[in-house]
Amino acid sequence: MLTFRRALVAAAFFLTVFYLISSSSSNPPSITTPAVPKADADVEAAKHASTTAVTDKSPSGANSAQQNPQGQRPIQDMSRMTLYEKLAYQFPYDVESKFPAYIWQTWKWTPAHSEFNFRDQEATWTQQHPGFIHEVITDKVAVHLIRLLYASVPEVVEAYNALPLPVLKADFFRYLILLARGGIYSDIDTYAIRSAVEWIPDSVPKDAIGLVIGIEADPDRPDWKEWYSRRIQFCQWTIQSKPGHPVLREVVSRITNATLAMKRNGTLRGVIDKNVIEFTGPALWTDVIFEYFNDKRYFDMTHSAGSIDWKNFTGMEVSKRVGDVVVLPITSFSPGVGQMGAKDYDDPMAFVKHDFEGTWKPESERHIGENK
């Protein structure tokens, strides 16, 4: 007769046997390997022995990435860091990430305001980039946005607020927003002719590129210094980048340090319109880019035929790649200007049309060099 006690013992026996069988046949837990980002100093591919037109071939001599487990970033004491190091910590660079689908523009008013006069231009960016987040940032909003993004780097906020001219702040803002968030910055008086998805050639993997720039000026004439600050001048009215790019980091560091130094010695108010190009504009932008192309921290220089300078880019008609940077010819961001080899708006390499409003300049200084 099955008593309650016998039933309890039998149940315990069968449970014990079942546990032993299931334990011996179960697989051990799998170990998941964490994702491995590339180290900041190694994500840029080594540059060619000379700067060449983009081809289907991968760049030779690329540095191998240092493999560091990805996880929660440890809190670090930033008090002993340089500004450059603080920016690198706050806005890390990952070349293998996607280009963020942001379009950033700035103006006194938003498109909803009755006095907004760039509706046709602004609309082309939305039309050519469906699915992108497109923001027109006003001066008032920009102040709060910079405070939010750079709250942990207060010297940047101080420098931005201290700049005495609107054009200086406009220049600084484009670098700041791209460093922190990435995407596309373009002046409000530009038309998008082609989508940014076409800017990088199909032969170049997008996970190897972190910055797309264009040539603004290639003045092959004896008096070029009367019109332009550099023999080859890179455009900063339209830029595409991934967050944290070292070029943007260096530009932000330089502007911040220079601004705060001038503020301390009382010379900041002496900055006038003619100083803008060197202080925050295309001269500074161009200098930092060329320095980056020749920086041993980011490029393997052992097989280089020499320094990369303006001679590598003058007269170019197709894209060129230098490490993680794609350089577009003058036609791409300045089509139809009728000089310096720029072709017309219907050229396959024409991506952005710029109206060159130059609203911060006196009328006599707009469109300089076009009719001489």
Side-chain angles (χ1 to χ4, degrees):
M1 179 176 177
L2 184 64
T3 65
F4 175 78
R5 179 177 293 181
R6 288 179 179 177
L8 188 62
V9 171
F13 173 78
F14 284 115
L15 287 173
T16 303
V17 171
F18 177 78
Y19 173 78
L20 292 174
I21 293 174
S22 61
S23 297
S24 61
S25 61
S26 62
N27 294 326
S30 61
I31 300 175
T32 303
T33 304
V36 181
K38 291 190 175 184
D40 187 56
D42 293 314
V43 291
E44 294 81 12
K47 73 179 179 184
H48 298 278
S50 61
T51 307
T52 57
V54 172
T55 66
D56 291 332
K57 297 180 180 179
S58 299
S60 60
N63 293 336
S64 60
Q66 296 178 359
Q67 309 243 325
N68 297 319
Q70 184 179 18
Q72 187 172 8
R73 300 173 67 210
I75 297 176
Q76 295 186 18
D77 180 10
M78 296 176 61
S79 62
R80 297 181 181 274
M81 293 183 183
T82 64
L83 177 57
Y84 186 89
E85 292 168 342
K86 290 178 184 179
L87 295 172
Y89 176 72
Q90 290 296 324
F91 309 110
Y93 174 53
D94 180 8
V95 72
E96 294 183 345
S97 65
K98 294 182 179 180
F99 279 98
Y102 294 130
I103 299 171
W104 306 101
Q105 297 185 290
T106 60
W107 191 236
K108 302 172 186 177
W109 303 284
T110 68
H113 197 282
S114 61
E115 295 189 54
F116 185 80
N117 297 321
F118 296 97
R119 298 185 189 281
D120 291 343
Q121 295 92 325
E122 182 265 344
T124 62
W125 287 96
T126 299
Q127 292 165 0
Q128 291 287 351
H129 301 88
F132 277 56
I133 296 174
H134 183 188
E135 297 286 351
V136 177
I137 308 295
T138 64
D139 296 342
K140 292 180 179 179
V141 172
V143 172
H144 297 290
L145 186 57
I146 296 306
R147 287 176 182 170
L148 174 66
L149 295 175
Y150 289 86
S152 58
V153 195
E155 50 266 62
V156 171
V157 179
E158 180 185 355
Y160 181 82
N161 291 333
L163 289 171
L165 299 174
V167 64
L168 297 175
K169 290 186 176 182
D171 278 344
F172 199 19
F173 179 85
R174 71 194 64 191
Y175 308 133
L176 292 171
I177 196 66
L178 291 177
L179 176 63
R181 289 293 179 261
I184 299 167
Y185 170 85
S186 195
D187 279 358
I188 198 65
D189 59 346
T190 59
Y191 294 82
I193 299 175
R194 293 177 183 269
S195 171
V197 300
E198 301 180 40
W199 294 1
I200 299 176
D202 293 337
S203 59
V204 177
K206 290 181 173 59
D207 62 357
I209 300 300
L211 183 66
V212 180
I213 58 175
I215 291 179
E216 173 185 359
D218 183 10
D220 186 14
R221 47 193 287 176
D223 62 343
W224 66 266
K225 289 185 178 180
E226 295 182 20
W227 301 107
Y228 298 96
S229 57
R230 302 295 183 268
R231 175 57 182 82
I232 282 286
Q233 193 162 288
F234 293 118
C235 158
Q236 39 94 263
W237 63 67
T238 302
I239 306 167
Q240 184 182 29
S241 78
K242 294 176 181 178
H245 195 278
V247 168
L248 293 164
R249 191 188 307 157
E250 180 64 29
V251 169
V252 169
S253 297
R254 290 196 189 184
I255 295 174
T256 300
N257 290 332
T259 300
L260 296 182
M262 296 176 71
K263 179 182 177 181
R264 285 192 296 269
N265 61 30
T267 59
L268 189 57
R269 293 293 168 184
V271 177
I272 58 176
D273 288 342
K274 291 184 178 180
N275 304 135
V276 169
I277 292 177
E278 298 286 341
F279 191 12
T280 61
L284 171 69
W285 178 241
T286 298
D287 289 348
V288 172
I289 290 170
F290 273 121
E291 289 173 19
Y292 177 71
F293 286 161
N294 295 282
D295 194 331
K296 294 180 181 179
R297 293 177 299 172
Y298 300 107
F299 294 93
D300 180 2
M301 308 290 287
T302 55
H303 302 292
S304 176
S307 297
I308 289 182
D309 59 18
W310 67 269
K311 292 186 288 293
N312 296 102
F313 301 99
T314 186
M316 59 180 276
E317 296 185 354
V318 295
S319 304
K320 290 188 177 183
R321 175 184 175 184
V322 183
D324 67 338
V325 181
V326 166
V327 181
L328 302 174
I330 193 169
T331 297
S332 294
F333 292 163
S334 298
V337 297
Q339 59 176 337
M340 295 181 286
K343 298 179 182 179
D344 215 340
Y345 303 114
D346 58 354
D347 189 86
M349 289 302 297
F351 300 149
V352 176
K353 175 190 174 185
H354 191 205
D355 276 349
F356 298 97
E357 288 294 323
T359 52
W360 59 275
K361 299 178 182 178
E363 184 66 32
S364 61
E365 295 183 21
R366 300 181 192 178
H367 309 272
I368 59 171
E370 291 185 11
N371 298 317
K372 187 168 180 177

